[in-house]
Amino acid sequence: MAQDGVVEALKVERPMTVQIVRTKAETALIQAYDAVERELPGGAWLKARRSAAIGSFAAQGLPNRRVEEWKYTDLRAGLKEMYPLATGKVGGAGHSAEAIIARILPGVEASGFVHLEDGRGAGFAGIFSSKDDTSPYLADLLGSPPAWLRAELERGMATGGTDGIGSLNAAFFANGVVLDIPSRLEIDQPLVMLFTDGGEGRGSVFSRSVIRVGDGAKVTLVEVHCGNFAAARQVSAATQLMVGRGAMVTHIKFVETEADDVHTGKWDVRLGSEATYRPFQMTLGSGLVRNELALSFDGQHSTLDFGAAFLAGDRGHIDTTLLIDHKVGHCTSRELVKGVLDNAARGIFQGKVIVQPNAQKTDGKQMAQALMLSADAEFDSKPELEIYADDVVCGHGSTSAELDDDLLFYLRARGIPLAEAKSLLVESFIGEAIDKVEHDGLREAMMGHARRWLAAGHVGA
C-alpha cells in the first residue's frame, strides 16, 4: 500500500522464542538429577517438591552478577564444571570423628557429635544417641518424618528456593542432621556436627539439617566443614533452625577450604520471643565460600549477636551475606564481620537489615572491616538498611585498610621482628570478632586457626 509516494512495509507480529542457553555446569547438574532422582530418599510428598525445585533451577540457572544478591559472587561465570555426586564411601584412614574434632577443636569437650562423610552417616555419639534410639540422620527420617519435621522441611524448601543454589539444595539433599532439643534442657558442652569428605576424587555434596530448640533451652551448636584436601569438593549445606521462646543458642560454624573447593552454606533461622542467638562463622582458605544467614525475628524482646572472621589467601573468595528481618518490635541485632585478605583474595560483605512497620523500638547496628595484606586483594562491602518504622535506632559502617605503618614502627622500635609485629597487629584485628565467642575452649580454638593461617607465611617480612 502506498501513501504520498511512501511504500509501507507490512509488519507481521510473531511470538518471540527465547532459548535458554545453559553453561556446562548447569547442564551437568540437570542431567545429574535425572540420573539420581529415583535414588533420593523421601516419599511422594518430597519427590514432588524435589521435581519443582529442579524445574526452578532449570529456569533460573546458577546465580550470576545480574542477581543483586549475587552480584559479587558470580557462580555462573565462576563454576566451570560440576563435580560428580560424591559416593559417600566411609572408613578412609584418618577420618575418625574423634581425631578430626581433636584437630579442629583442640581441648574442647563435646556433649556429643554426629559425623557425615560426603553426606553419608559415619557415626554419632553422646546426646545424639540418647533419645529413644532416634537416628540423628535426616535420611533415616524422610520416609515417615515427624509432623514438625515435615512442616519445617516444606517451609524451608519453599522459601529457600528463590535462587539457583537454594533450588539445587532442595532438589538434591539426601541427608543432614536432625536435632530436637526439649524445652528447658540446658546442655553445658558443645554439640558438634561434623561434615567431612571421603577423599575419593572430586565430588559434590548436598546436605540439609533441621534443628528445633525448645522454649527455655540452652545449647551450643558447632558445625565443622573440612576435609583431608586429597580432592576438591563442591558443597551445598543448608541449616534450618527454630529457636523457641526464651531459648539461648550459640551457633559456631568453621569452614576450611583449598583451591578448587566451593562451599555455599545458608542458615535459615527463626527466633521466638525473648530468645538469644549468638552465631559466629570462621572461614579460612583459598577456595570459594559463601556463608548466608537469613534471620527472622518472629517474637519480641529477642537478641541477635552475630560475628564472623575470615582469612583468605591466594585467589580465595569469601562472601558473607546477611538478611535480618525485624518483623516485630523491641528486638536487638548486632553484626560484626572482620576479614584479612592476602595475595589476590577477595572478600565480600552484604548485610541487609529490614525493619518492618510494626517493628518499633528496634535497635540494629552492623560493622564490616577488612585488613588488606596485598595490593592485589579486594574487599566489596554493601551494607543496607530498609526502615519502615519511625521509632528505631539503626546504623551501619564499613572500612578497609592496610596495616598501620606507625604501629609497625612502634613495635619494631621495641625490638620485635617485622613478621612478628605484623602477626601481632593482624591477630589483634581479627581477635575483636573472635572475642564474640563466649565459650573459652571454642574461642581459643578459633584463635588458634587464625594464628596457624598467619604462621603459614601470610605476613612475611
Side-chain angles (χ1 to χ4, degrees), residues 213-234:
V213 180
D215 296 347
K218 183 178 181 180
V219 64
T220 296
L221 308 170
V222 183
E223 288 187 33
V224 175
H225 298 264
C226 65
N228 64 357
F229 303 126
R233 284 292 181 274
Q234 292 171 347

Side-chain angles (χ1 to χ4, degrees), residues 1 95 177 190 205 249 259 285 297 327 347 359 373 377-378 399 449-450 453:
M1 180 175 61
H95 283 252
V177 176
V205 181
V249 177
F297 284 96
K327 291 183 176 180
L373 302 182
E378 179 180 342
T399 64
H449 290 298
W453 185 88

Side-chain angles (χ1 to χ4, degrees), residues 200-216:
E200 299 291 335
R202 290 186 170 190
S204 296
V205 181
F206 299 84
S207 68
R208 182 172 292 253
S209 299
V210 184
I211 302 168
R212 181 170 68 169
V213 180
D215 296 347

Side-chain angles (χ1 to χ4, degrees), residues 142-402:
L142 285 178
S144 181
W148 74 269
L149 178 58
R150 174 170 172 171
E152 181 61 12
L153 282 171
E154 290 180 332
R155 186 202 64 80
M157 294 176 71
T159 60
T162 56
D163 61 47
I165 291 298
S167 297
L168 280 177
N169 187 281
F172 278 103
F173 78 88
N175 209 349
V177 176
V178 176
L179 182 58
D180 191 10
I181 304 294
S183 296
R184 292 175 292 282
L185 177 65
E186 295 189 8
I187 303 174
D188 294 330
Q189 299 300 331
L191 302 179
V192 180
M193 296 171 284
L194 187 60
F195 300 83
T196 65
D197 70 65
E200 299 291 335
R202 290 186 170 190
S204 296
V205 181
F206 299 84
S207 68
R208 182 172 292 253
S209 299
V210 184
I211 302 168
R212 181 170 68 169
V213 180
D215 296 347
K218 183 178 181 180
V219 64
T220 296
L221 308 170
V222 183
E223 288 187 33
V224 175
H225 298 264
C226 65
N228 64 357
F229 303 126
R233 284 292 181 274
Q234 292 171 347
V235 173
S236 171
T239 299
Q240 297 176 220
L241 172 62
M242 296 168 284
V243 182
R245 178 186 180 92
M248 298 181 64
V249 177
T250 298
H251 193 180
I252 310 296
K253 181 178 182 180
F254 176 81
V255 181
E256 186 175 21
T257 64
E258 287 197 351
D260 297 329
D261 287 334
V262 177
H263 178 100
T264 57
K266 183 172 183 177
W267 288 350
D268 177 359
V269 181
R270 291 185 290 157
L271 296 187
S273 60
E274 301 174 10
T276 300
Y277 181 53
R278 301 184 183 279
F280 179 80
Q281 298 175 344
M282 179 84 176
T283 309
L284 65 154
S286 54
L288 186 156
V289 178
R290 177 173 165 111
N291 288 318
E292 291 186 61
L293 169 63
L295 182 139
S296 170
F297 284 96
D298 291 350
Q300 294 190 357
H301 302 287
S302 292
T303 299
L304 162 70
D305 190 3
F306 174 87
F310 61 84
L311 302 100
D314 298 325
R315 301 190 66 83
H317 182 113
I318 299 178
D319 180 339
T320 301
T321 293
L322 312 177
L323 175 60
I324 312 301
D325 192 356
H326 285 266
K327 291 183 176 180
V328 297
H330 301 275
C331 292
T332 301
S333 62
R334 296 287 185 271
E335 300 91 43
L336 176 63
V337 176
K338 290 207 163 198
V340 181
L341 301 167
D342 196 11
N343 308 121
R346 185 180 186 186
I348 293 102
F349 170 74
Q350 298 183 108
K352 186 173 186 177
V353 177
I354 303 173
V355 182
Q356 303 288 0
N358 293 327
Q360 304 293 348
K361 302 296 183 181
T362 289
D363 183 355
K365 294 180 176 63
Q366 63 178 221
M367 174 60 72
Q369 298 175 317
L371 189 59
M372 322 293 278
L373 302 182
S374 166
D376 295 324
E378 179 180 342
F379 180 60
D380 301 289
S381 183
K382 191 180 72 169
E384 298 177 84
L385 291 174
E386 288 189 12
I387 302 174
Y388 302 101
D390 52 15
D391 189 4
V392 303
V393 178
C394 294
H396 59 70
S398 180
T399 64
S400 60
E402 300 175 349

